[in-house]
Amino acid sequence: MRDLHDVATLINADHRLVETLFQRLEAGQGDRRTLVNQVIFNLAIHAGAEEQRIYPAMKKAFDDDGDSVDEALDEHQSMKDALVVLDRGEPGEAEFEDALRTLMAEVRHHIPEEEGNHLPRLRQAVGDERMAELGKDFLKAELHAPTRPHPHSSSNPVVAAPAALVDKLRDKRSDRDESTAIDASGLLDPQAQALVEAHASLGVKPMHLLDASQARKQPTAADAVKRMLKGQDRDNSPEPVDSVLPLTIPSPAGDIEARVYRPQGADGTALPVLVYFHGGGWVIADLDVYDASCRGLANRAGCLVVSVEYRQAPEHPFPAAHDDALVATRWVMAHAGDLGGEPRLVAVAGESAGGNLAAATCLALKQAGEALPVFQLLIYPVASGAMDTPSYQEAQDAKPLYSGLMHWFFAQSVTDPAQLSDPRISLVEASVEDLTGLPPALVITAERDPLRDEGEQLAKALLAAGVPVAATRYPGVMHEFFGAAAVMDKAAKAQEEAASALRAVYAQTVAGMGVRN
């Protein structure tokens, strides 16, 4: 398997994104102006980065055939000329629509030549290792490239830098920068769309162009919920619970920080326990970002929620997060009574990468022959490293999680692409034998999410192994919706569905134990 930074992979991903936007425009989907703005942005930074970093490498490698690179540059010129018209015009105008048709034709002619000829020839000339180095250079160049078309300058790095600065200032003044962070497909319901737009208004940058430290400083979905509540003149303070207490879990790799949420109305009786792992692709986010989910589940399910932090990549690559999740779950199962919980009523849960950690932890405990949690709540879990499902293709332009960002998360998280086939990541590849006997599960997926299909595949695999499973796909919503119950009815419904499943399994377990809770 090739390096996840391979420049051909990155360029091809850009091509798929633009083609998805073209198809939406051709189908009359979504907001036409915003879709075109996204085409302009993505093609501008892509062309600028190619011209500054990739085409010079091609010219050097193709010393016997520089003409083919010149032809590609000429095609870029034609594309930029069309982009200038689109940038200045408005949808519906004859010149605008003619330019859009011209652009689509030019790009669709250009892509097969680049993917089928130029990039393979470059690989043959420089090798896989150099292609990975070029990929990293390409991403850096995209981050600093002009965001609008400059037909006669952006291939020159000396001119490109000031052009990019001017573009960014113009984008900010015109709110054009928000266009890149909006889902313009028209596929989200109004509440979901409002949340995505609130997130975009906070100045979100395309995260796949950042390094991990920069990405961790980006506004989150939790920030967007607060922005919406403030805009609606509503209280944006956290949902009240009885208490939230810090917890330190000992681990051979270093102490693991956690929080214990005690639900409102707790009377001192030992409570069921939910070990919860936050999302963020094993790279970003923390306990604060997913605080709302923990509060909602604690109150609705009437349980203690132990929200667990874990080591993050790239500083601590795979399997560090998985190791921490396993250590933390073992500790909670052994010490639940010390926290005011019932040790025989411990379930696990997680969102996104956290859903992966919850499921992988159950697999690891089973393989070790140890006691299992009573339930696994898997909210749009990462369940495969293949990135090849229909939902990945459909979500090229989704927000906040899009297909290219998942590729970035994986690139940060593993040191060898072969690790993406590890059953702790590719849960859907686990054998029937490994899955048999795992705890019952609820798998919640979002329609507008690259992880939708693999989550549903995991549910089917568990069911085929005889594990009791319920799976619910929430239509018209995106990844990260679950914690937004304060502003999204479907999030509140999903939290109640999750809590209802937890309450039921806790009650059934109590009945089976013959004890009172």
Side-chain angles (χ1 to χ4, degrees):
M1 187 180 293
R2 287 176 180 158
D3 191 291
L4 290 168
H5 292 101
D6 187 275
V7 69
T9 301
L10 298 174
I11 287 174
N12 295 351
D14 283 356
H15 292 164
R16 289 194 298 273
L17 169 57
V18 170
E19 177 58 29
T20 298
L21 296 172
F22 283 168
Q23 290 174 7
R24 298 211 187 285
L25 286 162
E26 288 175 322
Q29 289 181 325
D31 184 284
R32 196 167 183 80
R33 177 71 260 178
T34 302
L35 287 168
V36 170
N37 288 348
Q38 291 180 359
V39 167
I40 293 169
F41 172 84
N42 285 288
L43 282 179
I45 67 169
H46 175 87
E50 279 195 327
E51 291 166 13
Q52 292 175 44
R53 296 289 186 268
I54 309 308
Y55 284 4
M58 286 182 180
K59 276 212 169 187
K60 185 176 180 181
F62 305 165
D63 53 4
D64 61 336
D65 183 21
D67 290 345
S68 64
V69 179
D70 289 336
E71 289 173 5
L73 286 167
D74 289 341
E75 290 176 347
H76 273 207
Q77 175 73 32
S78 297
M79 294 176 208
K80 291 178 191 176
D81 289 340
L83 288 173
V84 168
V85 176
L86 295 174
D87 196 32
R88 296 173 179 170
E90 289 298 330
E93 297 175 350
E95 188 180 25
F96 180 99
E97 300 300 335
D98 286 344
L100 182 57
R101 284 188 291 271
T102 298
L103 177 68
M104 290 180 180
E106 289 281 357
V107 171
R108 285 167 171 164
H109 176 268
H110 178 83
I111 286 175
E113 179 67 13
E114 188 159 273
E115 293 186 2
N117 182 8
H118 292 160
L119 291 171
R121 287 178 63 197
L122 180 62
R123 184 183 306 282
Q124 186 176 15
V126 304
D128 289 344
E129 186 175 345
R130 177 59 179 153
M131 291 292 279
E133 293 172 356
L134 284 170
K136 294 175 184 177
D137 290 343
F138 175 73
L139 287 176
K140 291 177 183 176
E142 281 197 315
L143 178 60
H144 299 291
T147 61
R148 301 195 186 205
H150 295 270
H152 305 291
S153 65
S154 63
S155 60
N156 182 343
V158 175
V159 181
L165 178 60
V166 170
D167 286 350
K168 287 177 172 62
L169 291 172
R170 292 170 64 201
D171 291 346
K172 191 169 186 63
R173 283 200 305 268
S174 65
D175 294 331
R176 179 75 71 86
D177 54 345
E178 293 183 19
S179 295
T180 62
I182 289 175
D183 187 322
S185 67
L187 299 175
L188 295 176
D189 72 24
Q191 290 182 330
Q193 187 69 41
L195 183 59
V196 169
E197 292 181 5
H199 192 209
S201 72
L202 296 172
V204 182
K205 293 185 175 71
M207 205 177 300
H208 70 283
L209 303 179
L210 307 177
D211 62 32
S213 62
Q214 294 169 321
R216 290 170 187 150
K217 297 174 184 176
Q218 289 288 289
T220 67
D223 296 321
V225 170
K226 292 177 183 177
R227 167 66 67 92
M228 283 188 68
L229 289 171
K230 183 177 180 181
Q232 296 168 5
D233 292 325
R234 295 169 57 196
D235 181 9
N236 65 1
S237 57
E239 178 179 341
V241 293
D242 182 80
S243 62
V244 182
L245 298 176
L247 174 68
T248 300
I249 297 173
S251 167
D255 289 346
I256 298 170
E257 299 304 315
R259 288 180 188 165
V260 181
Y261 294 79
R262 189 172 181 84
Q264 284 190 312
D267 59 5
T269 305
L271 293 170
V273 181
L274 181 65
V275 182
Y276 171 89
F277 302 105
H278 69 75
W282 308 291
V283 178
I284 63 171
D286 55 23
L287 303 182
D288 289 336
V289 173
Y290 286 81
D291 175 74
S293 293
C294 295
R295 290 171 180 270
L297 288 170
N299 283 336
R300 289 170 172 80
C303 65
L304 292 180
V305 174
V306 181
S307 183
V308 178
E309 192 56 90
Y310 48 85
R311 287 172 293 165
Q312 293 179 316
E315 297 88 347
H316 304 284
F318 175 81
H322 291 77
D323 292 343
D324 287 355
L326 181 58
V327 167
T329 302
R330 282 174 169 153
W331 189 93
V332 172
M333 292 180 75
H335 296 86
D338 299 334
L339 303 175
E342 166 53 62
R344 293 168 292 183
L345 296 178
V346 178
V348 292
E351 294 179 54
S352 193
N356 172 275
L357 294 177
T361 294
C362 291
L363 271 172
L365 291 171
K366 177 181 181 288
Q367 290 166 351
E370 300 178 35
L372 295 173
V374 298
F375 191 74
Q376 44 185 336
L377 169 61
L378 311 178
I379 304 161
Y380 28 74
V382 179
S384 173
M387 298 180 280
D388 60 357
T389 59
S391 61
Y392 257 88
Q393 180 57 45
E394 295 167 16
Q396 297 287 343
D397 59 335
K399 299 294 185 296
L401 183 65
Y402 49 96
S403 304
L405 182 52
M406 273 308 305
H407 183 278
W408 182 87
F409 282 137
F410 283 134
Q412 304 297 311
S413 299
V414 300
T415 54
D416 181 348
Q419 291 173 325
L420 296 181
S421 299
D422 188 293
R424 286 169 290 184
I425 292 177
S426 283
L427 301 165
V428 296
E429 300 299 327
S431 68
V432 171
E433 180 182 1
D434 285 340
L435 297 176
T436 300
L438 288 179
L442 169 62
V443 180
I444 289 175
T445 58
E447 181 180 29
R448 185 85 167 117
D449 182 357
L451 304 184
R452 181 196 70 207
D453 291 350
E454 64 199 59
E456 293 172 359
Q457 289 172 4
L458 176 60
K460 291 176 182 176
L462 289 167
L463 194 61
V467 177
V469 177
T472 304
R473 177 194 294 187
Y474 281 81
V477 298
M478 65 295 179
H479 196 84
E480 297 287 7
F481 86 97
F482 186 81
V487 294
M488 287 182 62
D489 295 337
K490 288 177 183 174
K493 183 178 179 181
Q495 287 190 17
E496 181 52 43
E497 180 187 17
S500 177
L502 287 166
R503 293 194 303 267
V505 77
Y506 289 144
Q508 291 166 5
T509 306
V510 168
M513 294 188 311
V515 300
R516 296 182 63 189
N517 184 37

